[in-house]
Amino acid sequence: MSDLLYSEVEEDLRASVRDLFTDRAPASAVLARTESAEPYDLKLWRTLAGELGAAGLAVPEELGGHGASARELAVVLEEAGRAVAPVPLLGSAVLATSALLACDTGEAVVAELLRALASGERTGALAVPLSTWPGAAFPETVQVRDGVLNGRMGLVADASVADVLIVPASGPDGPALYAVDGATFAEATSLDLTRRLADVTLENVPGRLLAGPERAAEALERALLTGAGLLASEQVGIAQWCLDETVAYVKQRYQFGRPVGSFQALKHRLADLYLEVVSARATARNVADALANGTDDLGIAVAVAQSACAAIAVHAAEEAIQLHGGIGMTWEHPAHLYLKRAKSDELALGTPGRHRAALAGLVDLPL
């Protein structure tokens, strides 16, 4: 049985990533960036991806990565959630990289792209709507003929800052995955101000084949499973920040001559939230370990994690806003960023209801 506790290496990685986000992405800076023309902090991303090596954690050393695993990448996702960091971590280091790793890495084009993404030299995105869930049908909105792609994908995460898109396309021979460098983007209105969505249009754009009919659907499914599984760790980071900040606030906010945190009703609410966060962390660690070790129960682990963690992150953010009182309702306080990220994550890569339905099928439980 695997040890789900954090290893010393994972804790050291956490400390490095947290120090970076504390220094380069404090709440005031993230808030200011949401109102600027550059919502993503690409300098921060290059430091995180290249200098700290976060983008290549799950990539084998022979392909330019660090040969770690999903466990280490999950720790980075936790810290990114805790900071609502405006970086394309999910789109590039998780979704795009996972899709490439599920292709034939012996192919030159796949290996070349993996090296570029792992080093932080390039940024990628998986060109599917962020709401796409594991088990969904292969998308058919992009058509390919003779290596030229035409079509449209809506609401793609991190697409507007991606150098390369991993595009699922349908052609005469069946489904395929292509790498595309030239596409037209239109920013979509996103609830989450720190993770932008874009509509992608391809008009006679040449692509490089990554996987043909025999492997494309499997690679896409693996990317979606990995993304949904690791998103649980980001949701844990969101929930933990909300809990920590709220506990700190009610300790120093006085009413009727005493800290509001001393009132029994608030103690009970925060104790209940603490138990939820602990539960969410356990399920997130379990799915990260399942991804790292390739267990047969991966689908179950992903469904359990997303069924639980998505709702817990939203609840934690709602409690943070309410228990902060008036200041929690203002734009100047960062709590709204966490609620927006949590709610957007709840809809990303499958809703909790979608994952519960999948779980019922996996364990032969009649709906």
Side-chain angles (χ1 to χ4, degrees):
M1 184 174 180
S2 297
D3 184 357
L4 300 185
L5 298 177
Y6 297 100
S7 68
E8 185 177 342
V9 171
E10 290 166 350
E11 290 292 6
D12 288 344
L13 174 62
R14 180 194 304 283
S16 297
V17 175
R18 183 172 296 187
D19 286 347
L20 175 65
F21 287 151
T22 300
D23 181 51
R24 301 273 293 277
S28 57
V30 175
L31 275 167
R33 187 168 286 280
T34 63
E35 299 183 86
S36 73
E38 297 181 355
Y40 283 97
D41 189 340
L42 295 183
K43 290 183 179 178
L44 173 62
W45 169 241
R46 283 190 285 271
T47 302
L48 177 68
E51 295 180 27
L52 287 188
L57 284 171
V59 178
E61 291 183 70
E62 61 269 21
L63 293 170
H66 296 281
S69 73
R71 286 177 58 118
E72 289 77 15
L73 189 53
V75 170
V76 179
L77 265 292
E78 271 189 51
E79 292 304 309
R82 184 178 180 274
V84 285
V87 293
L89 180 65
L90 181 67
S92 187
V94 179
L95 292 172
T97 299
S98 297
L100 288 170
L101 286 170
C103 297
D104 183 358
T105 55
E107 293 290 334
V109 62
V110 176
E112 174 193 343
L113 283 175
L114 276 172
R115 290 181 185 279
L117 294 185
S119 67
E121 176 187 337
R122 303 189 74 182
T123 301
L126 181 64
V128 297
L130 186 57
S131 59
T132 308
W133 62 93
F138 194 89
E140 297 182 351
T141 58
V142 175
Q143 301 296 316
V144 60
R145 186 172 293 276
D146 298 327
V148 177
L149 286 76
N150 285 277
R152 180 181 177 276
M153 280 289 190
L155 305 180
V156 178
D158 301 333
S160 58
V161 292
D163 303 310
V164 59
L165 293 177
I166 310 303
V167 181
S170 297
D173 299 324
L177 284 184
Y178 282 83
V180 172
D181 296 330
T184 302
F185 304 102
E187 282 266 351
T189 301
S190 174
L191 173 64
D192 184 358
L193 302 176
T194 58
R195 174 179 290 137
R196 298 304 177 98
L197 306 177
D199 297 330
V200 177
T201 302
L202 301 168
E203 294 183 353
N204 297 320
V205 177
R208 292 177 288 168
L209 181 65
L210 300 171
E214 70 287 344
R215 203 159 188 167
E218 178 186 338
L220 178 59
E221 176 68 6
R222 180 67 187 191
L224 294 172
L225 272 173
T226 302
L230 291 180
L231 190 64
S233 290
E234 178 176 286
Q235 290 159 340
V236 168
I238 294 168
Q240 188 67 63
W241 183 93
C242 292
L243 175 62
D244 292 344
E245 289 296 309
T246 306
V247 169
Y249 179 78
V250 298
K251 284 181 178 180
Q252 56 89 29
R253 175 73 169 92
Y254 275 70
Q255 214 167 31
F256 307 114
R258 56 190 284 196
V260 297
S262 66
F263 295 115
Q264 193 78 351
L266 297 192
K267 287 182 178 179
H268 286 173
R269 285 173 67 170
L270 289 169
D272 289 343
L273 184 57
Y274 169 78
L275 292 176
E276 288 184 26
V277 174
V278 170
S279 174
R281 189 179 300 278
T283 60
R285 289 297 292 168
N286 178 61
V287 73
D289 187 72
L291 285 165
N293 294 311
T295 64
D296 294 335
D297 294 333
L298 176 59
I300 294 174
V302 170
V304 168
Q306 273 307 309
S307 296
C309 295
I312 290 171
V314 172
H315 182 224
E318 290 172 341
E319 290 287 78
I321 288 177
Q322 188 170 34
L323 297 184
H324 272 80
I327 187 64
M329 303 291 181
T330 65
W331 184 268
E332 288 75 16
H333 196 280
H336 67 94
L337 294 179
Y338 288 84
L339 178 60
K340 291 168 182 173
R341 173 67 73 88
K343 193 62 184 176
S344 297
D345 280 1
E346 186 181 35
L347 304 176
L349 301 169
T351 62
R354 184 78 70 176
H355 285 284
R356 283 192 288 272
L359 179 61
L362 289 168
V363 298
D364 298 324
L365 179 67
L367 291 174

